[in-house]
């Protein structure tokens, strides 16, 4: 059956319901969002003379929560325009509209009886064959479907999103015994390819996979803190990035999630399990007291941490669980923590830390990690069928860099099991059997393939064909060319891939050289090139430290040479005879954006934060970014529409002078960084595949390099207009004297200097102006102060 989801409905418009509706709108699916009918009028409604029968009142809850999406940070929507994709209503008047939707997602209150009443209505109004799912975090999926029609039950399953739905990758799919296998397969594929999620199939057990293990791990950590006398701050200082967990570590995570939400999830397991497991899921008394006091975390202004003003400005204090008073935040610093910092990579750091027996931090991490490993192994088969599902759920849902079995492999399975037994822990029989058979790891790699242990054998892990993993690819194919900053890789099907791998993927001479080498190699032997990588961010810009060092040593000839080479490399990208597609994601700033702008096409991730931010460090773009953004804006003007050059120049000037950065790929399009030939991938894991397909599409349709043409500039009069706008900001106190100096240089470049409006110039003319302006600014003491501050503090200096 060729099934498609063209329209969806979300029942419930709370934080999760509205977030799911926003995610559907982000990917272009029109969504109906319904909520309950209010039972009372607000004071505002009374003043307006409205009654409980007015539609604006009856739809108020959903409408209010839809507008609330605009206020949330980080934003659940990728563009304000996406709100138009969400239609609101209520669950008394609008249930008949479910007959027009292909997927109904229930996100109402976590109460089985209420959910069953909702499903009774849904069953009455839905069209046969439409999919129905629940976003419950723990109520039995089987129990919800009881009493429903056969067609309903065949098309019903759990689809557990993680909050916030736009940003967290995990989607747990939970079928019932009645769910049609084709529906499960469709939802898994739809979840990956369209929703952009990492999909894991879970069993219908309390809290499914990620929340079951994640909550257990958090409560074990709280127990060890109380037993061993650690403080909240000490725990967080070693249970974050040091062991491959998010910066929010343990208690900051609880503050973000909300203590009330966490306690609800913990109680859900507590009420359904027995024995030792039940003891672990019993929420400690001090946390219950916090809930009674309303100390729920970020949403209530205080939780395990409290931000308050002190003598040195705003400071963060930690809660003492014994006194329930706030104290100065502490950090755990031991010999093991210092040695661990010297190790490279999470696996080595984790192994070093848990191996530090007798060290206070080492013993703590062992005491919180070991139980989680054993618990995960005990649950295999109960919550999921295989170990990759458990590992992926924890990575995608809780932001762990390594899942439990990956962690176990990292610290050494045999050695750690021996220690567990020495300390009186009981290891699941199947882990013992694995070790006895001579297998000493849960995963192994062969010829670029990944195998995992299952029932006495190793099974090959299947990956979505749209997932190109550069690390695995390099294990099976020879790298074509490589230097310290970048590698040229054969992506297959006649397409090459240029991967940046310098620190922060910052652009230096090594990357510039590899860009030129890649263009030459592709011209001779490939159909096209993808520029992309799988680092933390696509590229944060040029190598600022190197530029600052040269400027402080007055090596302006050297800087001029680097800037010229960078400009030339960008022109090589633009005028390559073979298509070059860039695949940006995450931070794509300064030079990173400049690499993308001249490419044949951009295949951006939905989460692409793109901008020319050089003004923040006292500069203007030096690699052709000013010129290319201006040309992109000109190209985006529809044919037949009169071009207002001043309007175009002003728009580009504002974006660069204000260092505007998009909050999504869609916003990058709205800011003029993407145009009609550019596209956006929702699933970041598919980004390189999509970029590769775009290269092949261009190549197979007879790609020709663009012709070099001259273009009009606003000239001296336009320069004065842009400068006037900047000076008005200065008069209002929004721009410093140095900001105005940067703005003056930028305006001069965009205007094309002191020419007549409408004068046609070539690209090299603007590049020369740009390079000259860049060099004059980098010699300024205040610019160098800004650069220094950015390198040391990681944020811009206003001087």
């Amino acid at each position: 059956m060729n099934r498609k989801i063209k329209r969806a409905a979300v029942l419930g418009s709370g934080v999760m319901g509205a977030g799911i509706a926003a995610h559907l709108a982000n990917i272009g699916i029109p969504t109906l969002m319904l909520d309950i009918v209010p039972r009372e009028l607000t004071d505002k409604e009374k003043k307006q003379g409205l009654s409980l029968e007015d539609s604006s009142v009856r739809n108020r809850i959903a409408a209010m929560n839809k507008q609330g999406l605009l206020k949330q940070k980080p934003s659940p929507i990728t563009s304000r325009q996406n709100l138009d994709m969400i239609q609101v209503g209520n669950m008394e008047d609008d249930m008949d509209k479910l007959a027009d939707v292909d997927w109904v997602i229930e996100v109402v209150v976590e109460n089985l009886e209420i959910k069953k009443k909702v499903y009774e209505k849904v069953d009455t109004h839905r069209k046969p064959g439409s999919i129905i799912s629940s976003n419950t975090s723990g109520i039995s999926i089987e129990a919800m479907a009881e009493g429903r029609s056969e067609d309903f039950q065949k098309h019903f399953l759990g689809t557990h999103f993680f909050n916030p739905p736009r940003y967290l990758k995990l989607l747990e799919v939970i079928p019932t015994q009645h769910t049609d296998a084709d529906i499960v397969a469709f939802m898994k594929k739809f979840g990956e390819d369209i929703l952009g999620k990492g999909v894991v199939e879970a069993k219908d057990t309390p809290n499914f996979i990620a929340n079951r293990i994640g909550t257990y791990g958090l409560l074990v950590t709280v127990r060890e803190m109380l037993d061993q006398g650690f403080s909240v701050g000490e725990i967080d200082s070693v249970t974050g990035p040091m062991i491959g967990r998010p910066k929010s570590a343990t208690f900051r995570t609880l503050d973000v999630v909300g203590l009330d939400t966490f306690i609800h999830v913990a109680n859900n397991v507590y009420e359904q399990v027995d024995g030792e497991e039940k003891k672990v899921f019993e929420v400690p008394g001090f946390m219950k007291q916090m809930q009674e006091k309303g100390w729920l975390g970020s949403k209530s202004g205080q939780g395990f941490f409290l931000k308050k003003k002190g003598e040195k400005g705003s400071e963060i204090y930690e809660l003492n669980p014994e006194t329930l008073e706030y104290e100065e935040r502490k950090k755990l610093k031991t010999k093991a923590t210092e040695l661990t910092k010297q190790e490279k990579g999470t696996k080595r750091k984790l192994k070093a830390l848990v191996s530090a027996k007798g060290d206070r931090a080492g013993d703590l991490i062992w005491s919180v990690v070991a139980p989680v490993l054993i618990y995960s192994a005990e649950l295999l088969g109960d919550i999921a069928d295989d170990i990759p599902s458990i590992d992926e759920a924890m990575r995608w849902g809780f932001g762990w860099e390594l899942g439990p079995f990956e962690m176990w492999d990292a610290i050494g399975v045999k050695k750690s099991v021996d220690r567990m037994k020495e300390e009186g822990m009981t290891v699941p029989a199947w882990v013992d059997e694995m070790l006895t058979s001579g297998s000493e790891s849960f995963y192994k790699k062969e010829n670029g393939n990944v195998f995992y242990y299952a029932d006495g054998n190793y099974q090959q892990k299947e990956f979505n064909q749209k997932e190109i993993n550069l690390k695995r690819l390099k294990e099976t194919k020879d790298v074509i060319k490589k230097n310290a900053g970048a590698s040229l890789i054969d992506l297959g099907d006649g397409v090459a891939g240029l991967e940046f791998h310098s620190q922060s993927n910052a652009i230096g001479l090594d990357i510039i050289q590899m860009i030129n080498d890649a263009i030459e190699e592709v011209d001779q032997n490939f159909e096209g090139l993808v520029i992309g990588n799988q680092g933390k961010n696509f590229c944060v810009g040029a190598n600022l430290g190197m530029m600052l060092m040269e400027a402080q040593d007055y090596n302006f000839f050297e800087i001029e040479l680097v800037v010229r080479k960078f400009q030339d490399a960008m022109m090589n990208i633009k005028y390559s005879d073979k298509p070059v597609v860039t695949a940006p994601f995450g931070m794509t700033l300064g030079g990173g954006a400049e690499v993308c702008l001249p490419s044949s096409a951009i295949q951006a991730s939905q989460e692409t934060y793109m901008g020319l931010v050089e003004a923040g460090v006292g500069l203007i773009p030096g690699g052709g970014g000013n010129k290319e953004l201006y040309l992109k804006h000109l190209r985006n003007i529809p044919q037949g529409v009169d071009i207002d050059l001043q309007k175009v120049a002003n728009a580009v000037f504002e974006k660069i002078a204000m260092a505007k950065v998009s909050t999504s790929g869609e916003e990058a399009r709205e800011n003029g960084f993407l145009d009609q030939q550019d596209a956006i991938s929702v699933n970041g894991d598919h980004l390189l595949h999509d970029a590769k397909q775009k290269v092949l599409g261009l190549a197979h349709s007879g790609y020709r390099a663009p012709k070099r043409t001259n273009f009009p500039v606003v000239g001296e009069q336009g320069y004065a207009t842009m400068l006037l706008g900047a000076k008005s900001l200065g008069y209002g106190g929004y721009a410093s004297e140095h900001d105005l100096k940067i703005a003056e240089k930028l305006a001069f470049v965009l205007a094309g200097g002191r020419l007549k409006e409408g004068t046609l110039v070539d690209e090299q003319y603007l590049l020369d102006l740009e390079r000259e302006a860049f060099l004059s600014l980098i010699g300024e003491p205040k610019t160098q102060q800004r650069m220094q501050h950015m390198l040391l503090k990681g944020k811009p200096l206003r001087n």
Side-chain angles (χ1 to χ4, degrees):
M1 182 181 178
N2 187 18
R3 180 181 290 276
K4 286 187 178 179
I5 292 177
K6 295 179 180 177
R7 185 170 170 78
V10 175
L11 308 182
S13 69
V15 173
M16 277 305 295
I20 291 169
H23 186 64
L24 292 169
N26 288 339
I27 59 176
I29 296 178
T31 301
L32 174 68
M33 184 168 73
L34 308 180
D35 212 309
I36 59 172
V37 174
R39 298 289 172 244
E40 292 180 0
L41 292 170
T42 63
D43 290 340
K44 185 178 179 181
E45 288 166 342
K46 288 175 185 174
K47 286 177 185 175
Q48 291 174 331
L50 298 172
S51 76
L52 287 171
E53 298 309 309
D54 285 299
S55 63
S56 62
V57 174
R58 294 177 73 79
N59 297 342
R60 182 220 307 152
I61 294 174
M64 182 178 67
N65 289 334
K66 173 183 171 179
Q67 289 305 309
L69 292 167
L70 291 171
K71 299 173 186 174
Q72 291 180 37
K73 289 186 179 180
S75 177
I77 53 174
T78 56
S79 167
R80 292 177 70 99
Q81 295 173 14
N82 293 342
L83 280 188
D84 296 338
M85 300 287 284
I86 302 173
Q87 177 190 356
V88 299
N90 67 75
M91 285 191 277
E92 289 182 20
D93 305 326
D94 301 305
M95 293 297 273
D96 59 329
K97 292 177 182 175
L98 298 185
D100 297 327
V101 307
D102 307 298
W103 181 21
V104 179
I105 311 150
E106 170 273 307
V107 203
V108 303
V109 64
E110 289 286 78
N111 178 297
L112 178 59
E113 292 311 310
I114 291 174
K115 287 181 186 289
K116 290 183 81 166
K117 285 178 183 174
V118 169
Y119 287 132
E120 189 176 349
K121 286 186 178 180
V122 172
D123 209 354
T124 303
H125 295 286
R126 64 179 281 268
K127 66 180 177 185
S130 61
I131 296 170
I132 317 98
S133 70
S134 174
N135 184 65
T136 182
S137 59
I139 293 177
S140 169
I141 307 297
E142 294 277 0
M144 285 187 224
E146 285 175 4
R148 300 278 54 83
S149 67
E150 184 183 346
D151 189 75
F152 182 106
Q153 292 188 342
K154 279 173 64 178
H155 293 86
F156 179 70
L157 71 168
T159 52
H160 182 216
F161 290 81
F162 275 62
N163 191 35
R166 172 183 164 185
Y167 299 98
L168 281 185
K169 192 172 178 66
L170 180 61
L171 174 66
E172 291 175 323
V173 168
I174 311 101
T176 73
Q177 60 180 324
H178 302 293
T179 312
D180 191 308
D182 288 343
I183 295 299
V184 180
F186 169 79
M187 285 307 292
K188 287 165 80 170
K189 185 171 173 53
F190 176 81
E192 283 190 28
D193 293 351
I194 308 300
L195 296 176
K197 295 296 175 188
V199 181
V200 169
E201 186 175 336
K203 302 287 185 83
D204 189 14
T205 54
N207 289 1
F208 313 126
I209 303 173
N211 276 342
R212 180 78 169 267
I213 292 172
T215 305
Y216 179 89
L218 283 164
L219 285 168
V220 164
T221 306
V222 174
R223 181 189 69 194
E224 293 301 325
M225 175 188 76
L226 297 173
D227 288 351
Q228 297 185 43
F230 287 99
S231 81
V232 162
E234 285 177 326
I235 294 289
D236 269 16
S237 67
V238 293
T239 57
M242 196 176 287
I243 61 168
R245 305 283 173 82
K247 286 182 181 178
S248 54
T250 301
F251 292 102
R252 179 73 189 117
T253 295
L254 288 172
D255 274 354
V256 171
V257 168
L259 187 59
D260 52 342
T261 302
F262 175 77
I263 288 176
H264 170 78
V265 172
N267 285 340
N268 191 52
V269 181
Y270 177 79
E271 289 163 7
Q272 298 182 63
V273 296
D274 299 304
E276 288 300 313
E277 187 177 6
K278 193 177 188 76
K279 287 182 187 175
V280 174
F281 280 95
E282 184 172 5
V283 175
F286 85 94
M287 292 170 79
K288 292 176 183 174
Q289 286 180 270
M290 288 173 67
Q291 186 180 25
E292 288 166 10
K293 290 175 177 286
W295 297 354
L296 305 178
S298 302
K299 59 186 172 188
S300 64
Q302 69 186 99
F304 292 99
F305 294 100
L306 172 67
K307 192 175 186 179
K308 57 183 179 180
K309 288 186 177 177
E311 295 176 5
K312 303 172 186 175
S314 288
E315 292 183 52
I316 296 173
Y317 293 82
E318 63 175 53
L319 184 75
N320 183 321
E322 290 184 8
T323 64
L324 288 188
E325 292 179 354
Y326 289 94
E327 302 171 350
E328 282 193 19
R329 187 164 54 163
K330 305 176 194 70
K331 288 186 178 180
L332 182 58
K333 189 175 178 180
T334 69
K335 185 178 179 181
T337 61
E338 296 310 294
L339 288 172
T340 298
K341 288 175 185 175
Q342 311 303 316
E343 295 287 349
K344 286 190 175 181
T346 299
K347 292 180 180 180
R348 293 172 66 93
K349 287 179 187 291
L350 181 64
K351 186 174 183 178
L353 205 50
V354 298
S355 300
K357 282 177 95 169
D359 181 275
R360 199 160 176 252
D363 289 346
L364 168 66
I365 296 303
W366 170 256
S367 69
V368 300
V369 165
V372 172
L373 304 184
I374 292 171
Y375 187 63
S376 301
E378 287 172 344
L379 290 176
L380 182 67
D382 290 337
I383 62 173
D385 283 330
D386 53 59
I387 62 176
S389 295
I390 292 175
D391 282 342
E392 286 167 344
M394 299 317 299
R395 283 195 277 109
W396 293 336
F398 273 72
W400 292 11
E401 199 172 318
L402 302 170
F405 297 100
E406 293 165 327
M407 291 173 71
W408 214 335
D409 275 353
I411 65 175
V413 182
K414 189 174 187 308
K415 190 176 178 182
S416 59
V417 166
D418 288 344
R419 181 175 173 185
M420 289 168 179
K421 289 179 177 178
E422 282 172 21
E423 296 177 6
M425 301 181 204
T426 304
V427 177
W430 73 265
V431 177
D432 265 335
E433 288 164 12
M434 181 185 88
L435 291 171
T436 304
S437 72
S439 299
E440 294 194 2
S441 65
F442 296 105
Y443 293 94
K444 64 179 184 178
K445 287 184 180 179
E446 287 179 9
N447 302 319
N449 295 313
V450 178
F451 297 84
Y452 62 90
Y453 186 80
D455 300 322
N457 296 298
Y458 282 93
Q459 292 188 17
Q460 186 172 338
K461 180 168 166 32
E462 298 296 327
F463 293 95
N464 189 311
Q465 290 183 339
K466 293 182 179 179
E467 184 182 337
I468 295 175
N469 184 291
L470 293 178
K471 190 175 179 184
R472 289 200 303 271
L473 193 65
K474 286 188 285 188
E475 289 171 2
T476 58
K477 289 195 175 188
D478 290 334
V479 173
I480 303 164
K481 287 189 177 182
K482 181 179 181 180
N483 65 22
S487 296
L488 187 63
I489 308 157
D490 185 349
L491 298 182
D493 302 316
V495 179
L498 179 60
E499 175 196 22
F500 297 172
H501 46 62
S502 60
Q503 187 172 358
S504 300
N505 289 341
I507 297 170
L509 282 170
D510 46 9
I511 285 182
I512 293 170
Q513 183 59 52
M514 279 300 297
I515 289 172
N516 294 329
D517 288 350
I519 299 294
E520 187 178 337
E521 177 72 26
V522 166
D523 187 41
Q524 293 173 19
N525 300 310
F526 290 87
E527 297 215 48
L529 175 69
V530 170
I531 300 179
N533 63 74
Q534 290 170 328
K536 186 178 178 184
N537 296 292
F538 176 76
C539 176
V540 297
N543 188 330
L544 202 61
M546 182 268 287
M547 300 289 268
L548 177 61
M549 191 169 64
E550 296 290 357
Q552 289 174 336
D553 288 345
Y554 300 99
N555 289 335
F556 294 107
F557 174 79
E558 199 69 35
I559 296 171
E560 200 270 348
L561 182 67
V562 172
V563 175
R564 187 186 291 273
K565 283 188 172 183
F566 187 33
Q567 290 181 341
D568 290 346
M570 298 306 98
M571 292 291 273
N572 279 347
I573 288 174
K574 184 169 187 175
Y575 292 106
S576 165
D577 287 332
K578 303 288 179 71
V580 178
V581 173
T582 42
F585 62 94
M587 287 196 284
T588 304
L589 307 176
E594 287 183 295
V595 170
C596 297
L597 286 168
S599 61
S600 313
I602 299 171
Q603 182 71 40
S605 165
Q606 180 174 269
E607 300 307 324
T608 299
Y609 316 126
M610 186 181 283
L612 294 168
V613 297
E614 285 84 353
V617 289
L619 297 165
I620 68 166
N626 310 285
K627 177 247 314 174
E628 288 298 337
L629 190 59
Y630 178 67
L631 289 176
K632 274 255 187 189
H633 276 63
L634 285 178
R635 284 200 301 273
N636 282 340
I637 296 170
Q639 282 191 340
V641 175
D642 287 338
I643 297 176
D644 184 338
L645 278 184
Q646 189 66 60
K647 192 175 179 181
V648 173
N650 288 351
V652 176
F653 174 77
E654 181 185 338
K655 289 178 180 78
I656 300 175
M658 303 292 286
K660 283 191 176 179
V661 177
S662 71
T663 59
S664 66
E666 199 54 56
E667 197 172 276
R669 191 190 298 284
E670 291 169 7
N671 289 350
F673 284 82
L674 273 61
D675 54 30
Q676 292 308 309
Q677 65 194 9
D678 302 324
I680 295 169
S681 297
V682 181
N683 192 326
D685 288 344
H686 299 177
L687 180 60
L688 291 179
H689 167 273
D690 295 345
K692 176 181 164 183
Q693 295 309 307
K694 189 169 272 292
V695 165
L696 291 170
L698 289 168
H700 295 164
S701 60
Y703 180 79
R704 292 286 181 270
K707 290 180 180 178
R708 295 175 187 255
T709 58
N710 294 345
F711 51 90
V713 290
V714 291
E716 191 166 17
Q717 189 174 338
Y719 164 65
T721 303
M722 285 185 273
L723 210 52
L724 185 63
K727 284 182 177 176
S728 66
L729 287 174
Y731 297 144
Y734 297 107
S736 68
E737 190 178 327
H738 195 54
D739 289 330
L740 293 178
K741 182 172 282 190
I742 299 161
E744 183 182 352
K745 299 285 185 184
L746 174 61
F748 191 78
V749 170
L750 287 173
R754 302 189 183 282
L755 300 175
K756 186 180 177 183
E757 183 181 3
T759 301
L760 296 177
V761 300
D762 64 18
E763 291 179 82
Q764 194 57 52
Y765 173 77
L766 273 199
L767 287 174
D768 292 343
L769 287 181
E770 184 177 293
R771 196 171 61 256
E772 188 180 312
F774 185 93
L775 287 164
S776 68
L777 284 169
I778 204 168
E780 292 278 346
K782 286 190 175 181
T783 286
Q784 292 178 17
Q785 287 170 15
R786 289 190 179 194
M787 293 170 77
Q788 184 96 39
H789 192 269
M790 179 60 76
L791 288 166
L792 291 174
K793 305 285 186 181
K795 53 187 178 182
L797 169 70
R798 295 300 304 274
N799 59 353

